[in-house]
């Protein structure tokens, strides 16, 4: 384990590697801004997928889309590796609470690697549908012994992550991740964080709820991923207004991530 920790420490201490990882935060920010804009477009009657593959499609349609997707993949891989390094250096392995943090870091890393893989696929002209991926996962779980229970646990876990985002936005817990400057810049970043974390938290929470609905109704098609979660908001009273607000929150979260690229504690 010491050799693994030494490698993790070397990665975290590398200035060049940290710079590439910071680019990863910018990439995450841009993706959220695009998804937020797509969500607002849906609320206003437009089309498209308001999720990660929808964002990738928008990037790919750019004249230099292939190059941009390569940059996205590289930045996300570096950011994932940095998160993994952080997990190994989190604390003494005997500390149960710190092991919980490690699981969190590994989960975040996996999500970055999945999006990086999507970027590579789009760069080579392929397509990935997040909605179908979510439905496939649900179908596989429902077909397994105790599949309904497993899918409910998955849904509750995803919703728990979303609630965690909301709580972090309300309590400003995200501030501990940053070395914030003073003055008006600090106030602006904190405002972005509060709005962004709450907006993202709502979107993630609804995504988890759809997994639970899929389990209860025994219908994997109900778990339609982020795009399905955002579109489901349209069925609420004042749905377009709610979706516009959540879309704006996702876009603001993207701005926060871009600011985090400079001020993140690394």
């Amino acid at each position: 384990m010491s050799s693994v920790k030494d490698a993790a420490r070397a990665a975290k201490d590398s200035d060049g590697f940290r710079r590439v990882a910071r680019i990863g935060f910018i990439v995450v920010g841009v993706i959220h801004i695009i998804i937020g804009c797509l969500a607002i477009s849906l609320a206003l009657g437009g089309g498209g997928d308001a999720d990660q593959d929808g964002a990738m499609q928008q990037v790919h349609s750019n004249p230099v889309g292939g190059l941009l997707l390569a940059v996205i993949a590289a930045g996300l891989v570096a950011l994932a590796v940095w998160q993994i390094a952080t997990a190994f250096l989190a604390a003494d392995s005997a500390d149960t609470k710190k092991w919980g943090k490690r699981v969190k870091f590994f989960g975040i890393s996996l999500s970055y690697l999945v999006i990086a893989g999507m970027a590579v696929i789009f760069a080579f002209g392929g397509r990935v549908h997040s909605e179908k991926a979510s439905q496939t996962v649900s179908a596989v779980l429902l077909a397994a012994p105790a599949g309904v229970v497993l899918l409910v646990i998955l849904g509750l876990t995803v919703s728990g992550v979303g609630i965690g985002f909301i709580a972090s936005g309300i309590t400003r817990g995200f501030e501990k991740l940053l070395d914030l400057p003073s003055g008006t810049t600090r106030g602006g970043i904190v405002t972005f964080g509060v709005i962004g974390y709450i907006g993202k938290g709502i979107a993630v929470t609804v995504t988890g709820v759809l997994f639970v609905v899929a389990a209860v109704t025994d219908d994997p098609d109900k778990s339609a991923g982020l795009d399905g979660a955002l579109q489901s908001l349209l069925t609420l009273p004042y749905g377009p207004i709610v979706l516009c607000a959540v879309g704006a929150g996702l876009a603001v979260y993207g701005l926060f991530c871009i600011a985090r690229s400079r001020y993140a504690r690394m």
Side-chain angles (χ1 to χ4, degrees), residues 34-116:
I34 295 174
I35 293 174
C37 291
L38 289 171
I40 294 172
S41 175
L42 283 175
L44 298 177
D49 295 330
D51 53 16
Q52 291 86 351
D53 58 279
M56 295 300 171
Q57 183 62 37
Q58 292 294 318
V59 174
H60 187 261
S61 64
N62 189 283
V64 291
L67 177 60
L68 292 175
L69 287 168
V71 172
I72 286 173
L76 288 173
V77 169
L79 187 54
V81 172
W82 176 78
Q83 289 281 4
I84 292 171
T86 301
F88 276 108
L89 299 175
D92 186 346
S93 59
D95 191 328
T96 304
K97 183 177 179 180
K98 297 303 181 182
W99 266 109
K101 290 186 177 181
R102 286 178 173 175
V103 172
K104 174 184 174 182
F105 285 132
F106 282 125
I108 294 172
S109 301
L110 179 61
S111 68
Y112 290 153
L113 291 174
V114 168
I115 299 174

Side-chain angles (χ1 to χ4, degrees), residues 232-259:
S232 71
L233 296 177
L234 288 172
T235 64
L236 298 175
Y238 305 103
I241 296 176
V242 173
L243 182 53
C244 271
V246 173
L250 287 168
V252 171
Y253 180 78
L255 294 175
F256 170 81
C257 289
I258 293 173

Side-chain angles (χ1 to χ4, degrees), residues 1-11 85 87-93 102:
M1 178 63 73
S2 60
S3 61
V4 175
K5 282 193 172 184
D6 289 341
R9 188 170 289 106
F88 276 108
L89 299 175
D92 186 346
S93 59
R102 286 178 173 175

